Amino acid sequence: MSGFVGILVSDPWLHNQFTQVELRSLKSHFTSMRRESGKLTVSDLASRMGKSKVVGDQNLTVEERSSLIQSFHPNSNDEVDFEFYLRIYLHLQAHVNAIIGSGVKNSSAFLKAATTTLLHTISDSEKSSYVAHINSYLSGDEFLNKYLPINPCSNDLFEVAKDGVLLCKLINVAVPGTIDERAINTKSMLNPWERNENHTLCLNSAKAIGCTVVNIGTQDIIEGRRHLVLGVISQIIKIQLLADLNLKKTPQLVELVDDSKDVEELLSLPPEKILLRWMNFQLKKSEYKKTVTNFSSDVKDAEAYTNLLNVLAPEHKNPSNLVAKHPFERAKHVLEHADRMGCRRYLTAKDIVEGSPNLNLAFVAHIFQHRNGLSTQTKQISFLETLADDTQISREERSFRFWINSFDSSLYINNVFEDLRDGWILLQTVEKVSPGIVNWKIASKPPIKLPFKKVENCNQVVKLGKQLKFSLVNIAGNDIVQGNKKLILAYLWQLMRYNILQLLKNLRSHSNGKEITDVDILDWANGKVRKNGSQTRMYSFRDKSLSDGIFFLELLSSVQPRVVNWSLVTNGVTDEEKKMNATYVISIARKLGCSIFLLPEDIIEVNQKMMLTLTASIMYWTLKQPCHLTGSPDTHSSGSLLDDSTSDSSLE
């Protein structure tokens, strides 16, 4: 076993168990351990691995590590090379996973996948449940039928996911119409470019429906990095399962509240909280007196489930359910009850008693979809009529929410108007856009009990906006604290616009140090399209002719000729044709690598703000590419951004 393999691990299976970042870190630890005596033997590993804190430093003692290593390789005098060290690492990791992998603390999170630690755990129960979900919902897909059903007991899921098609299709199941499937590369044999485009389309679309995909890249999908791929899949499935947990989709939820003020509070709650509130609402109809506050420890004894199903489906009630004394036995009765109701299982009795939060949430969400037990009368729903239903505000709130969430999982928000009111996440977002600008010494971190502290945070937000030259006439910190929708959206739009202009400005080699303006973006787009031989033109970002989507398809074709299949483009005359083109535009832009958060309706209705961000995102992507990818003269570092379009400007 002598010899040092280094980062290039000869065994393909072993190599695929780690990212390059992990391999570099492990190599550093391995080198450090060898440095002590010039060589490393099996007998040295237990103590030295503890010192380097590679694995098991909190979950295994030195004696436990020693025993496990000896069981793996009894000859303690053998010298350890890097590949053997990696195998020992995986052996210890597997043992730790067996201890804690199914527990609450270390389960894969729906909203965040662990990407910063060497110890990555995935739950086999979760993987099996998600595979069953995929087999069910994608069973009729023409392209995937040769791969389905996937064996839930194997790792075939990660192999099937490698070309990106399955993930794209799953996103469309969760939020129908997100991806124009005409943009997915579905040949039987994809070249590296086409496969990478599918991954890019998948990740950008996942962000656009509310997933957190920070620190997940196309290479992670190609390598089948299990914890990262499963993290994305779990988020997509969660979004699908919780899609009906809002008043627009299920107005009967108003039955959970007493007056219009409570309705507004309900509107601001994340879907998980609404699901908990619904569950407790139904449990009040039973003899169960506890309040369920989570989908883990509070449901482990299965008593809450027993009472919930008895309320929702009394016709399938089994008296033996309530007298069962052991939680595992009770959990089995719960699942039998759910089967009789026709609810597909997302978990096993073991998952219930071990408190798997993701699978319990999925189980309850499925029960809600199947039978929510709400029977609201018209009088109660009248509360909803008093609330403003501004579609434009709703769409902009969604765009800005997902844009903020795309920065970092620590900034995750569920509602722009509620979650930004204390100013803290707004300050963090401003800091992301303009590093170093926030004075954290005078900022207050949540939880903030004193109202004036929230105002102080928001006052700094407004002050920083003025410093960045935003137009903030008649906007004060208290407006944000009070949740003034139009003023908050106005601020966020200017922050988003500043962000994209700064990104373009940073490509100074393309602009000769010139500040980038809206007119520059407009001129650049018109210049690209004209050079491509088209007479199509955009006169402003309010130009109503943009509604057919043709100009943006011309622009995308000009920056990457092969990306648009013109045989799929409609004339854009009818509303249906416009929507088909708009969906195609968005999917093609995301496929190239543009991170955008608009909807087809934004193009059809020519939302000026979204037209600017779409154009600027395409421009930013183009200017980042090496010249050989697009063949465009203005991608040379010596060129000027405005060389070919100085005469075009807004005519409105």
Side-chain angles (χ1 to χ4, degrees):
M1 289 192 309
S2 60
F4 179 63
V5 177
I7 292 295
L8 296 176
V9 180
S10 60
D11 185 335
W13 177 87
L14 189 59
H15 183 273
N16 286 336
Q17 302 310 303
F18 304 94
T19 66
Q20 286 300 309
V21 173
E22 289 171 339
L23 284 174
R24 282 194 293 272
S25 180
L26 287 167
K27 178 185 176 183
S28 175
H29 287 127
F30 176 77
T31 304
S32 176
M33 288 188 291
R34 277 184 43 148
R35 193 177 294 124
E36 290 186 24
S37 59
K39 71 174 185 176
L40 186 68
T41 64
V42 174
S43 61
D44 298 325
L45 278 176
S47 59
R48 295 192 189 178
M49 287 180 85
K51 291 178 183 178
S52 62
K53 297 185 178 181
V54 176
V55 65
D57 56 310
Q58 295 178 356
N59 301 294
L60 297 175
T61 65
V62 174
E63 291 74 19
E64 287 173 324
R65 276 195 294 273
S66 179
S67 176
L68 287 166
I69 293 171
Q70 188 175 8
S71 69
F72 182 80
H73 190 84
N75 194 342
S76 61
N77 294 321
D78 279 355
E79 187 174 347
V80 176
D81 66 11
F82 187 52
E83 282 203 8
F84 180 79
Y85 165 67
L86 292 178
R87 294 181 190 280
I88 289 290
Y89 171 86
L90 290 174
H91 182 63
L92 296 181
Q93 182 191 61
H95 183 78
V96 173
N97 289 358
I99 298 172
I100 64 175
S102 61
V104 176
K105 182 178 178 182
N106 290 281
S107 296
S108 302
F110 261 128
L111 292 179
K112 305 172 190 175
T115 57
T116 57
T117 175
L118 290 175
L119 180 58
H120 299 301
T121 65
I122 68 168
S123 163
D124 285 335
S125 291
E126 287 188 27
K127 182 190 71 176
S128 297
S129 294
Y130 302 152
V131 167
H133 182 97
I134 289 168
N135 287 340
S136 174
Y137 283 93
L138 291 174
S139 59
D141 187 87
E142 186 176 338
F143 178 82
L144 294 173
N145 61 10
K146 56 189 173 187
Y147 304 110
L148 301 179
I150 298 170
N151 181 357
C153 298
S154 71
N155 285 323
D156 292 350
L157 169 64
F158 308 108
E159 289 298 317
V160 176
K162 282 185 177 181
D163 65 7
V165 177
L166 181 143
L167 295 175
C168 287
K169 300 272 190 177
L170 192 60
I171 286 171
N172 270 356
V173 169
V175 184
T178 298
I179 297 175
D180 189 324
E181 297 201 1
R182 297 173 297 173
I184 305 173
N185 298 319
T186 55
K187 294 191 306 186
S188 57
M189 292 294 292
L190 299 178
N191 62 42
W193 284 100
E194 293 165 331
R195 186 174 58 181
N196 186 73
E197 285 178 342
N198 280 352
H199 298 152
T200 305
L201 173 59
C202 158
L203 292 175
N204 280 322
S205 299
K207 282 196 292 186
I209 66 170
C211 295
T212 299
V213 294
V214 179
N215 298 328
I216 303 175
T218 59
Q219 191 63 28
D220 296 311
I221 303 176
I222 293 170
E223 293 179 0
R225 300 298 301 147
R226 293 181 299 167
H227 65 291
L228 295 176
V229 173
L230 202 66
V232 174
I233 290 173
S234 67
Q235 291 184 77
I236 296 170
I237 291 176
K238 178 191 174 186
I239 287 170
Q240 177 188 344
L241 291 174
L242 298 180
D244 293 337
L245 266 298
N246 62 74
L247 286 171
K248 287 187 177 180
K249 290 283 187 70
T250 312
Q252 294 85 357
L253 283 167
V254 75
E255 188 176 353
L256 306 184
V257 298
D258 296 322
D259 54 39
S260 57
K261 184 178 180 181
D262 291 334
V263 170
E264 290 193 12
E265 180 191 348
L266 193 65
L267 283 168
S268 69
L269 289 178
E272 303 96 308
K273 296 293 185 184
I274 296 177
L275 192 61
L276 282 171
R277 181 174 286 200
W278 166 79
M279 187 174 180
N280 286 310
F281 174 81
Q282 299 296 353
L283 286 173
K284 286 180 181 178
K285 301 175 184 177
S286 71
E287 296 179 358
Y288 192 75
K289 302 304 179 186
K290 300 177 184 177
T291 299
V292 177
T293 62
N294 58 63
F295 294 107
S296 179
S297 58
D298 285 1
V299 295
K300 288 172 69 173
D301 60 10
E303 288 184 5
Y305 283 153
T306 300
N307 285 276
L308 176 66
L309 297 186
N310 285 344
V311 168
L312 295 175
E315 71 275 19
H316 299 302
K317 182 177 179 179
N318 186 337
S320 62
N321 294 7
L322 291 172
V323 298
K325 294 182 179 180
H326 195 278
F328 188 81
E329 192 67 26
R330 200 178 299 120
K332 287 200 297 184
H333 288 314
V334 164
L335 295 179
E336 290 168 1
H337 194 160
D339 277 345
R340 291 192 293 272
M341 288 172 59
C343 283
R344 189 164 45 253
R345 296 185 185 183
Y346 277 91
L347 76 179
T348 64
K350 182 173 180 283
D351 297 320
I352 292 177
V353 297
E354 290 184 346
S356 173
N358 294 345
L359 296 182
N360 276 297
L361 184 147
F363 180 55
V364 178
H366 186 64
I367 293 172
F368 176 87
Q369 286 184 340
H370 187 77
R371 186 178 297 193
N372 61 39
L374 299 173
S375 55
T376 306
Q377 298 182 13
T378 308
K379 181 179 179 181
Q380 290 171 301
I381 297 181
S382 65
F383 281 141
L384 298 177
E385 297 172 1
T386 66
L387 302 175
D389 183 22
D390 192 318
T391 303
Q392 185 68 32
I393 286 180
S394 178
R395 285 212 306 266
E396 289 192 9
E397 187 276 335
R398 174 190 181 278
S399 296
F400 295 137
R401 170 163 36 99
F402 292 161
W403 172 67
I404 291 172
N405 290 344
S406 72
F407 280 111
D408 191 329
S409 57
S410 66
L411 300 183
Y412 197 90
I413 60 173
N414 291 288
N415 184 289
V416 162
F417 308 121
E418 292 299 321
D419 295 348
L420 301 184
R421 287 171 64 170
D422 63 12
W424 180 256
I425 288 182
L426 259 177
L427 286 172
Q428 289 181 298
T429 307
V430 173
E431 180 73 15
K432 292 282 185 182
V433 170
S434 183
I437 194 172
V438 176
N439 183 353
W440 294 109
K441 292 180 179 179
I442 62 172
S444 298
K445 185 177 182 179
I448 305 173
K449 296 182 179 180
L450 299 174
F452 77 90
K453 290 292 185 182
K454 298 180 182 180
V455 176
E456 285 180 350
N457 279 355
C458 293
N459 282 340
Q460 186 179 182
V461 167
V462 174
K463 179 182 177 182
L464 295 176
K466 292 177 179 177
Q467 192 174 321
L468 296 174
K469 299 182 180 178
F470 295 175
S471 175
L472 298 174
V473 180
N474 297 326
I475 297 182
N478 197 50
D479 293 315
I480 299 174
V481 175
Q482 296 299 319
N484 187 306
K485 293 182 178 181
K486 291 189 176 180
L487 295 183
I488 290 173
L489 291 179
Y491 188 97
L492 288 176
W493 156 240
Q494 292 181 84
L495 189 60
M496 179 190 274
R497 177 178 172 275
Y498 177 84
N499 180 225
I500 190 66
L501 292 180
Q502 283 299 109
L503 290 174
L504 288 168
K505 178 185 174 183
N506 290 339
L507 297 170
R508 303 188 74 86
S509 59
H510 299 286
S511 61
N512 292 334
K514 180 183 180 297
E515 291 284 341
I516 307 299
T517 67
D518 296 5
V519 172
D520 292 332
I521 297 170
L522 183 74
D523 288 347
W524 173 85
N526 282 325
K528 295 297 294 183
V529 170
R530 188 178 65 247
K531 275 199 168 186
N532 203 40
S534 173
Q535 299 303 311
T536 310
R537 184 177 179 185
M538 169 169 56
Y539 289 90
S540 78
F541 296 114
R542 298 187 301 272
D543 187 343
K544 295 301 180 183
S545 69
L546 298 176
S547 66
D548 62 12
I550 302 294
F551 177 84
F552 292 111
L553 289 169
E554 294 276 11
L555 178 58
L556 290 164
S557 180
S558 73
V559 301
Q560 183 56 275
R562 67 179 180 81
V563 79
V564 177
N565 183 346
W566 286 101
S567 67
L568 302 177
V569 178
T570 74
N571 293 325
V573 176
T574 66
D575 289 344
E576 182 61 28
E577 288 179 341
K578 288 180 178 180
K579 186 165 186 178
M580 290 178 68
N581 283 353
T583 306
Y584 194 45
V585 166
I586 293 170
S587 293
I588 291 297
R590 287 177 179 150
K591 180 178 177 177
L592 283 181
C594 300
S595 183
I596 49 178
F597 301 93
L598 73 164
L599 293 171
E601 290 78 8
D602 291 314
I603 295 178
I604 296 168
E605 297 171 13
V606 191
N607 181 324
Q608 179 185 0
K609 299 173 183 176
M610 296 303 148
M611 296 301 92
L612 172 59
T613 57
L614 172 60
T615 311
S617 295
I618 297 171
M619 179 180 178
Y620 179 65
W621 177 86
T622 305
L623 297 182
K624 285 197 305 178
Q625 305 310 304
C627 61
H628 68 273
L629 290 184
T630 63
S632 303
D634 60 356
T635 58
H636 292 283
S637 59
S638 59
S640 169
L641 178 69
L642 304 176
D643 282 348
D644 55 9
S645 55
T646 52
S647 63
D648 285 311
S649 61
S650 174
L651 300 183
E652 289 190 14

